[in-house]
Amino acid sequence: MQRVLRSGVQWLTHAAEDEEACRDTWKYDPRSPYPLPIGPCFELLAVDQELALETFDQLRRRELPAGPVLADWAARKVGFMLAPGSRDLFLRALARQTDTPPAYRYLETDAVVVVPGPLTMTGDRYEWLLPPVGEIGSSPLVASALAVMLAASAALIERAAHFGEADCNAG
């Protein structure tokens, strides 16, 4: 079970187009997902589940900074929330790591993401992997760390997928 702290709930409701409707939804059902507009309060990097979970694991193992992270298990996607204006920094950091970036979608405006409610249970379709603790800070380290670990995780998954192939073909 993941629980979003009060400051995180306040930030999420502030990000909603209709703060009162969002608060009411979660007041009556704290597990209920809710759509939030991307852009005014956060940007979102959407990644396929396998790559995203490896990236998230690498960020945590190395104790690197990360913003809120949410999963949509049915869609097999994970979203990394970033501060507004992080796109250029993320792209520059990713370009320094690889000439062949992995697949992802970077959403800045004119999009909506369904976020988990403030209280999620294992098995819910939408779940917080790392819940928000308040407003997303504008530290450049978050976007840079995410780009570096995304590229490294993609390379790791690619190598693991082909592990042992050279040995099998040599014999």
Side-chain angles (χ1 to χ4, degrees):
M1 176 171 64
Q2 284 282 7
R3 176 179 290 262
V4 179
L5 300 176
R6 178 174 294 192
S7 58
V9 173
Q10 288 171 345
W11 176 76
L12 288 167
T13 56
H14 175 70
E17 286 182 342
D18 184 340
E19 291 183 43
E20 189 174 330
C22 183
R23 263 192 304 278
D24 287 346
T25 297
W26 288 339
K27 178 180 174 183
Y28 296 109
D29 184 2
R31 289 180 59 195
S32 182
Y34 197 85
L36 294 182
I38 295 171
C41 296
F42 65 93
E43 295 174 357
L44 188 84
L45 180 76
V47 182
D48 285 336
Q49 183 177 311
E50 179 185 26
L51 175 57
L53 293 178
E54 183 62 39
T55 301
F56 179 65
D57 184 50
Q58 294 298 330
L59 287 166
R60 293 193 64 169
R61 278 194 211 173
R62 286 160 177 69
E63 298 180 2
L64 293 172
V69 181
L70 57 113
D72 177 344
W73 300 121
R76 301 186 53 78
K77 299 284 186 195
V78 172
F80 296 87
M81 291 179 156
L82 294 160
S86 296
R87 182 185 186 114
D88 288 342
L89 180 58
F90 172 81
L91 293 175
R92 283 194 310 272
L94 187 60
R96 284 192 299 271
Q97 298 303 310
T98 181
D99 293 330
T100 56
Y104 65 88
R105 286 185 64 200
Y106 197 102
L107 304 165
E108 294 175 274
T109 59
D110 301 325
V112 172
V113 64
V114 176
V115 299
L119 177 65
T120 59
M121 306 288 282
T122 301
D124 287 350
R125 174 180 176 165
Y126 301 99
E127 188 176 350
W128 290 109
L129 301 181
L130 185 60
V133 293
E135 183 175 339
I136 296 177
S138 60
S139 169
L141 296 177
V142 175
S144 295
L146 180 56
V148 169
M149 286 301 109
L150 184 71
S153 296
L156 176 64
I157 290 169
E158 179 67 22
R159 288 188 70 188
H162 298 290
F163 178 76
E165 285 181 1
D167 295 335
C168 293
N169 295 332

